[in-house]
Amino acid sequence: MLSIVAEPGDARVGRLLNRVGGVETIRLLDTDTAMPELRREDAEVLRHRVRLASDGADFDELMPRLLDGRYTPLIPGDLDWPAGLVDLGERAPYVLWAEGATSLLSRPVSDLVTITGSRASTSYGDLVAGEIAAGLAEEDKVIVAGGAYGIEAAAHRAALSTGGSTIAVLAGGIDRNYPRGNTELLDTIRAVGAVVSEQPPGAAPTRSRFLARSRVLAALSAATIVPEAGARSGALVTTEHALRLGRGVGAVPGPVTSAASTGPHMLIQDRHATLVTSALDAQALMDRPGSPQSRPAGRTATGSSLDLEQARAERDEPGRRL
């Protein structure tokens, strides 16, 4: 129900969930009772947004239809809930709607790698993304991406072509193949991998939901690799979340004449990313000291409120090579 009435990544809702649990959170959102740890002004803004989102919704009719067995709703504490999402703290998803092999989500964070980048990728970017994804998939790593055109589609396809595992994280409802041109690819992932979304079936992908999805792409995996991305690409938002979470960030160098390589070059030049040219480089980044596999599942390595500059400073400590 929260995934229907509340936008993803809302720390105010997350704070309530952590304090009082799901049932009481729903009750508080539907009353004028004071909300623990929330100022009255914040509580009123939150209630107003929830009322707008739920306006006209018939939950008595809607909930049985959403829970008819076609999709698997996962919540924190479930066997297949991804361990890495706990690091998002109050901005962790309330629920993941899943279809396919949900057991892939329960793999250790160290087994998952996110590959993201430009939708308007070049043949060079597709080639490198595919080679890295295929090499990692052959080593039984799970390739995580967003199912988009370009780099993400190349990574998904390469994993599938090797018989490996892949997860697509959607920004809209799990029943909506977006972009529509990747319908066949997403349906294949549903059949042999897993498709997940914070959004309930039927929800439309929006700009804010794409931005919110970035934190999930980063948190699921031990490292995020960017083969190609423009200077203002959404893939760079994912790398910022990865840095905040203490995850590895890798970038692939490309032709200096290619605008599609501007993003990776910026990451490397600013020392926010390790230079990656192969699956072996990506594997080394996933296995680096301090990465999620070196701590018990469910514990936060750096905390979701870690300042970005502090994360970058830690990654640039003396002795760490690009």
Side-chain angles (χ1 to χ4, degrees):
M1 189 174 280
L2 276 175
S3 72
I4 296 170
V5 301
E7 284 298 306
D10 192 321
R12 294 167 301 189
V13 177
R15 205 170 304 142
L16 281 173
L17 276 174
N18 292 340
R19 176 71 180 271
V20 302
V23 173
E24 181 65 7
T25 295
I26 290 290
R27 189 191 71 80
L28 287 171
L29 290 173
D30 196 40
T31 68
D32 291 326
T33 308
M35 294 186 181
E37 298 186 23
L38 285 186
R39 296 182 305 171
R40 183 173 183 83
E41 296 84 356
D42 288 338
E44 288 306 312
V45 169
L46 181 57
R47 285 191 174 107
H48 177 67
R49 290 182 178 177
V50 167
R51 290 183 186 117
L52 288 177
S54 59
D55 185 37
D58 182 350
F59 290 104
D60 288 338
E61 184 276 332
L62 183 60
M63 296 307 295
R65 180 161 54 84
L66 295 182
L67 300 174
D68 63 3
R70 289 177 296 167
Y71 313 108
T72 302
L74 300 173
I75 61 173
D78 285 347
L79 181 64
D80 290 338
W81 184 257
L85 296 186
V86 72
D87 292 351
L88 291 171
E90 293 172 346
R91 297 187 183 278
Y94 324 127
V95 62
L96 286 180
W97 297 88
E99 187 175 9
T102 58
S103 60
L104 292 176
L105 297 166
S106 64
R107 295 272 294 269
V109 179
S110 56
D111 283 352
L112 277 65
V113 58
T114 294
I115 300 179
T116 187
S118 176
R119 288 167 172 77
S121 57
T122 68
S123 57
Y124 165 80
D126 290 346
L127 174 65
V128 176
E131 288 182 346
I132 291 173
L136 291 170
E138 288 173 350
E139 295 300 318
D140 199 30
K141 302 302 180 184
V142 181
I143 307 302
V144 178
Y149 293 133
I151 294 299
E152 294 184 343
H156 285 307
R157 290 191 176 101
L160 293 171
S161 69
T162 64
S165 301
T166 189
I167 298 170
V169 184
L170 305 184
I174 191 169
D175 59 333
R176 298 180 64 144
N177 285 330
Y178 186 90
R180 293 180 64 86
N182 279 350
T183 292
E184 183 177 353
L185 172 62
L186 291 170
D187 285 345
T188 301
I189 296 172
R190 284 185 172 89
V192 299
V195 175
V196 301
S197 176
E198 291 182 83
Q199 299 300 319
T206 63
R207 175 175 171 76
S208 64
R209 290 169 181 173
F210 277 109
L211 291 174
R213 180 187 61 170
S214 295
R215 80 196 195 290
V216 177
L217 287 169
L220 284 174
S221 302
T224 294
I225 311 297
V226 182
E228 277 188 336
R232 299 174 62 83
S233 172
L236 302 186
V237 178
T238 304
T239 65
E240 289 188 357
H241 285 295
L243 286 168
R244 290 191 183 100
L245 295 167
R247 306 293 203 257
V249 174
V252 177
V256 296
T257 55
S258 174
S261 290
T262 303
H265 290 168
M266 290 167 54
L267 290 170
I268 295 168
Q269 185 178 44
D270 294 339
R271 302 189 69 193
H272 298 160
T274 297
L275 189 150
V276 170
T277 62
S278 66
L280 287 176
D281 291 342
Q283 178 71 71
L285 184 61
M286 297 169 70
D287 293 341
R288 66 185 174 82
S291 56
Q293 71 268 29
S294 64
R295 59 190 168 83
R299 290 188 57 193
T300 304
T302 58
S304 61
S305 62
L306 180 66
D307 182 77
L308 180 56
E309 292 305 318
Q310 180 184 343
R312 289 169 175 167
E314 290 177 357
R315 288 188 49 75
D316 294 341
E317 64 187 4
R320 192 181 300 285
R321 292 179 177 270
L322 284 178

Coordinates of all heavy atoms in Angstrom, one line a residue, residues 6 12 81 112 131 141 166 199 217 233 240 244 268 315:
A6 N 3.0 6.5 -1.6 CA 4.2 7.3 -1.3 C 5.3 7.1 -2.3 O 5.5 6.0 -2.9 CB 4.8 6.8 0.1
R12 N 11.1 10.6 5.1 CA 10.1 10.8 6.2 C 9.3 9.5 6.4 O 9.0 9.1 7.5 CB 9.2 12.0 5.8 CG 9.9 13.3 5.8 CD 9.0 14.4 5.2 NE 8.7 14.1 3.8 CZ 8.1 14.9 3.0 NH1 7.8 16.1 3.4 NH2 7.9 14.5 1.7
W81 N 15.1 -10.6 0.3 CA 15.3 -9.2 0.4 C 16.8 -8.9 0.2 O 17.6 -9.5 0.9 CB 14.8 -8.6 1.7 CG 14.9 -7.1 1.7 CD1 15.8 -6.3 2.4 CD2 14.0 -6.1 1.1 NE1 15.6 -5.0 2.2 CE2 14.5 -4.8 1.4 CE3 12.9 -6.2 0.2 CZ2 13.9 -3.7 0.9 CZ3 12.3 -5.1 -0.2 CH2 12.8 -3.8 0.1
L112 N 27.1 -9.2 -7.0 CA 26.4 -8.3 -7.9 C 27.2 -7.1 -8.4 O 27.9 -6.5 -7.6 CB 25.1 -7.8 -7.2 CG 23.9 -8.7 -7.2 CD1 24.1 -10.0 -6.4 CD2 22.6 -8.0 -6.7
E131 N 31.5 -7.0 -23.3 CA 32.7 -7.8 -22.9 C 32.9 -7.9 -21.4 O 33.1 -8.9 -20.8 CB 33.9 -7.3 -23.6 CG 34.0 -7.5 -25.1 CD 35.3 -7.0 -25.7 OE1 36.0 -6.2 -25.0 OE2 35.6 -7.4 -26.9
K141 N 28.9 -13.9 -11.7 CA 28.5 -12.6 -11.1 C 27.1 -12.3 -11.7 O 26.9 -12.6 -12.9 CB 29.5 -11.5 -11.4 CG 30.9 -11.8 -10.8 CD 30.8 -12.1 -9.3 CE 32.2 -12.4 -8.7 NZ 32.2 -12.7 -7.3
T166 N 21.1 -12.0 -14.7 CA 20.9 -10.6 -14.8 C 19.6 -10.1 -14.1 O 18.6 -10.9 -14.1 CB 21.0 -10.1 -16.2 OG1 21.1 -8.7 -16.2 CG2 19.8 -10.6 -17.0
Q199 N 8.0 0.4 -7.7 CA 6.6 0.8 -8.1 C 5.7 -0.3 -8.2 O 6.0 -1.4 -8.8 CB 6.7 1.6 -9.4 CG 7.6 2.8 -9.4 CD 7.1 3.8 -8.3 OE1 5.9 4.1 -8.2 NE2 8.0 4.4 -7.6
L217 N 20.0 0.9 -7.8 CA 21.0 0.3 -8.7 C 22.4 0.3 -8.0 O 23.2 -0.6 -8.1 CB 21.1 1.1 -10.0 CG 20.0 1.0 -11.0 CD1 20.1 2.0 -12.1 CD2 20.0 -0.4 -11.6
S233 N 24.7 12.7 -17.7 CA 24.0 11.5 -17.7 C 23.5 11.1 -16.3 O 24.1 11.3 -15.3 CB 24.9 10.4 -18.2 OG 24.3 9.1 -18.1
E240 N 27.3 8.6 -7.9 CA 27.3 9.4 -6.6 C 26.7 8.7 -5.5 O 27.2 8.7 -4.3 CB 26.5 10.7 -6.8 CG 27.2 11.7 -7.8 CD 26.5 13.1 -7.8 OE1 25.5 13.2 -7.1 OE2 27.1 14.0 -8.5
R244 N 28.6 7.4 -2.0 CA 28.0 7.6 -0.6 C 28.0 6.3 0.2 O 28.1 6.3 1.4 CB 26.7 8.3 -0.7 CG 26.6 9.7 -1.2 CD 25.2 10.3 -1.0 NE 25.2 11.7 -1.5 CZ 24.7 12.0 -2.7 NH1 24.1 11.0 -3.5 NH2 24.6 13.2 -3.1
I268 N 37.2 9.6 -13.9 CA 38.6 9.2 -13.8 C 39.5 10.5 -13.5 O 40.3 10.4 -12.6 CB 39.1 8.6 -15.1 CG1 38.3 7.2 -15.3 CG2 40.6 8.3 -15.0 CD1 38.6 6.6 -16.7
R315 N 38.1 7.2 -0.8 CA 38.5 6.4 -2.0 C 39.8 6.9 -2.6 O 40.5 6.2 -3.3 CB 37.4 6.5 -3.1 CG 36.1 5.7 -2.8 CD 35.2 5.7 -4.0 NE 35.9 5.4 -5.2 CZ 36.2 4.1 -5.5 NH1 36.0 3.1 -4.7 NH2 36.9 3.9 -6.7

